[in-house]
Amino acid sequence: MKHTSILFASAAICALPGIAQQERTNNYRTTTEEGIIESIANIEKKTDKFNLFLDMHGSFNLDWNGSHFNEAKFKMNQLRIEAKGNINDWLSYRYRQRLNKGDSQNGYRDNVLNSIDIAGIGINLDKWSFFLGKQCAAYGGIEFDMNPIEIYQYSDMVDYMSNFMSGVNVAYNFTPRQQLQFQVLNAYNDSSREMYGNYTKAKIPLLYTVNWNGNFNDVYKTRWSASFMNETKGEHMWYFALGNDFNISDKVQAYFDWLYTREGVDRKGIITSIVQPDGWESTTGYKTAKTDIMSFILHLNYRFHPAWNIFAKAMAENEGVYKTHEQEGAPGHIVEAGRYRTAWGYVGGIEYYPLKDRNLHFFAAYVGRTYKYSNRAKVYGVDDYSTNQFSVGFIWHMPVF
């Protein structure tokens, strides 16, 4: 943006006729014109240093539980404020906070409220770049990396994640289209007791991620990652993601994500809620162990007109236990290995973009979810169920300043 401001000023000077003659015959006019040009250049520079956005995803929803109509309501699904800018050629900053998320008064491990997604500084040194502070985990997946206001329904894998933690990200662009990232973050964004129960706390609870972002002629893009986390003493989480984006034509775009996590302790709590239906906090005091989830996401866009887009998404997930074990805090309670739940998701709709920047858009969308439990899960009293939602609304990454 610094170079843009200089070029803009130069172009403005060249566009003024007879500058040399004006300097000889009308010094006042020359000074005024130069002052305007300098003012415009300064505005450009200031704008680059401070950009403020309001992210909104609001809708009117009609909800069904199976075939039973539940309720109708207006809802602000996402509301975030974001400030970012480039102080100079090598230093930048970014801050983003959720305005519709409450916070505990107890504070957090990194002394930053959970409603704050991002708060840190960026350092750019040629091919190397760094981000220091609270940030999003560099997990792979195309959908995971998108602005949350653009997502009508996440998969369970992403929906139950806690993925904003404090730490450092180091990126190396070994070509203009190929990037490697290495990231180290806090594993906890709350106390070990609140997140996992009475397991012995890890002494070095950190998350390590390696991420590859590739771009092949703007036709095929990758966002692949591998992550390792210290959860509690002796228990770890592994997470793998293969995100693949395909620009098939000017009108057709698709992405496919494969995600897999294996957790020594059930960080997301999905299996825990099945095998401990009365709540782990008031019963065993321990979350369930040895859980895993595999997720598949396929999303298609068809922009049949510059202002109109139709989309469809399918999701499938297998959620279960990878190793038979005795439930901590409940002697004799054996948790068997195997699949416990299959989750299906279906999303489709149409979007209208009234502005040329393709930012603000209005939508009508359908979201369906179906949950099927295995026999080993049904012994805990759970039953298959489905939900359906039809919504109309708007999405806007609104530039405030």
Side-chain angles (χ1 to χ4, degrees):
M1 289 295 294
K2 181 177 180 181
H3 299 297
T4 302
S5 300
I6 295 172
L7 292 172
F8 180 83
S10 302
I13 292 172
C14 293
L16 296 174
I19 287 290
Q21 184 178 358
Q22 291 170 14
E23 288 176 349
R24 290 192 299 269
T25 59
N26 192 337
N27 290 331
Y28 172 76
R29 184 178 179 184
T30 301
T31 302
T32 302
E33 289 172 346
E34 289 177 349
I36 292 172
I37 292 167
E38 290 175 357
S39 297
I40 293 173
N42 287 333
I43 291 173
E44 287 282 308
K45 184 181 294 185
K46 288 179 180 178
T47 301
D48 191 35
K49 289 184 178 180
F50 179 70
N51 298 275
L52 184 65
F53 298 91
L54 185 63
D55 287 350
M56 295 179 286
H57 180 152
S59 62
F60 175 69
N61 304 327
L62 301 171
D63 294 317
W64 286 263
N65 290 326
S67 60
H68 173 73
F69 179 70
N70 186 24
E71 64 175 348
K73 64 181 177 182
F74 291 95
K75 185 178 181 180
M76 185 61 72
N77 304 284
Q78 299 280 349
L79 183 63
R80 286 173 164 87
I81 190 167
E82 180 175 0
K84 59 183 178 180
N86 297 307
I87 303 303
N88 51 39
D89 288 340
W90 61 271
L91 181 63
S92 63
Y93 68 91
R94 188 180 179 192
Y95 176 88
R96 191 177 80 185
Q97 184 170 5
R98 284 168 280 180
L99 302 180
N100 55 351
K101 177 182 174 62
D103 276 301
S104 167
Q105 298 178 354
N106 298 327
Y108 300 94
R109 179 177 177 81
D110 58 4
N111 206 33
V112 180
L113 297 177
N114 264 347
S115 63
I116 298 175
D117 293 341
I118 301 168
I121 64 171
I123 299 172
N124 183 27
L125 303 175
D126 194 19
K127 291 186 176 183
W128 292 90
S129 60
F130 306 84
F131 192 86
L132 315 174
K134 190 167 185 180
Q135 56 197 279
C136 184
Y139 296 140
I142 302 301
E143 184 166 283
F144 180 83
D145 197 43
M146 296 171 64
N147 190 322
I149 63 173
E150 299 289 344
I151 308 303
Y152 297 96
Q153 176 62 57
Y154 281 110
S155 65
D156 283 351
M157 175 83 81
V158 179
D159 221 5
Y160 285 81
M161 277 184 175
S162 53
N163 54 318
F164 295 105
M165 289 88 79
S166 293
V168 58
N169 183 295
V170 180
Y172 177 68
N173 298 300
F174 53 95
T175 74
R177 292 173 176 263
Q178 303 292 327
Q179 181 190 72
L180 282 178
Q181 292 185 46
F182 177 70
Q183 186 182 59
V184 182
L185 302 177
N186 284 335
Y188 300 164
N189 48 15
D190 209 327
S191 69
S192 177
R193 173 65 179 82
E194 290 295 325
M195 296 187 68
Y196 297 106
N198 294 326
Y199 293 96
T200 302
K201 176 184 174 182
K203 291 187 177 181
I204 308 178
L206 295 176
L207 166 68
Y208 309 89
T209 296
V210 176
N211 179 288
W212 169 47
N213 299 318
N215 185 337
F216 299 89
N217 298 319
D218 292 324
V219 175
Y220 172 55
K221 299 177 182 179
T222 63
R223 187 169 177 82
W224 295 6
S225 72
S227 303
F228 173 81
M229 175 189 291
N230 291 314
E231 293 189 294
T232 60
K233 183 178 180 180
E235 300 293 350
H236 315 289
M237 182 194 84
W238 290 92
Y239 180 82
F240 302 96
L242 302 179
N244 307 274
D245 183 85
F246 306 92
N247 288 313
I248 300 169
S249 70
D250 292 339
K251 294 183 177 181
V252 181
Q253 181 268 342
Y255 63 80
F256 175 73
D257 290 340
W258 174 84
L259 314 172
Y260 177 73
T261 182
R262 173 171 284 209
E263 303 176 357
V265 181
D266 185 17
R267 182 180 177 91
K268 296 173 181 60
I270 295 174
I271 302 301
T272 299
S273 67
I274 297 173
V275 302
Q276 300 191 62
D278 295 326
W280 64 271
E281 299 93 339
S282 60
T283 53
T284 66
Y286 295 84
K287 278 190 173 180
T288 300
K290 317 301 182 186
T291 64
D292 63 352
I293 304 175
M294 184 177 294
S295 178
F296 303 89
I297 303 167
L298 176 63
H299 185 106
L300 300 172
N301 287 312
Y302 176 53
R303 191 175 288 273
F304 61 92
H305 182 277
W308 291 90
N309 178 63
I310 57 175
F311 63 92
K313 181 168 75 171
M315 301 177 289
E317 294 177 282
N318 287 322
E319 303 159 355
V321 173
Y322 65 84
K323 183 179 179 180
T324 298
H325 64 280
E326 184 178 75
Q327 171 65 51
E328 289 285 346
H333 178 190
I334 303 301
V335 181
E336 295 183 359
R339 180 181 58 84
Y340 278 68
R341 187 170 80 171
T342 299
W344 302 90
Y346 341 89
V347 184
I350 188 167
E351 299 169 326
Y352 171 62
Y353 295 76
L355 305 179
K356 291 184 178 180
D357 65 3
R358 297 185 177 182
N359 189 344
L360 170 67
H361 47 291
F362 301 93
F363 67 84
Y366 164 77
V367 176
R369 303 302 305 272
T370 299
Y371 294 93
K372 298 288 187 181
Y373 292 89
S374 66
N375 290 333
R376 65 174 54 86
K378 289 183 177 180
V379 299
Y380 295 99
V382 294
D383 291 312
D384 301 342
Y385 72 97
S386 63
T387 61
N388 299 278
Q389 181 184 86
F390 178 75
S391 61
V392 293
F394 72 95
I395 295 172
W396 196 8
H397 179 61
M398 184 178 74
V400 178
F401 181 81

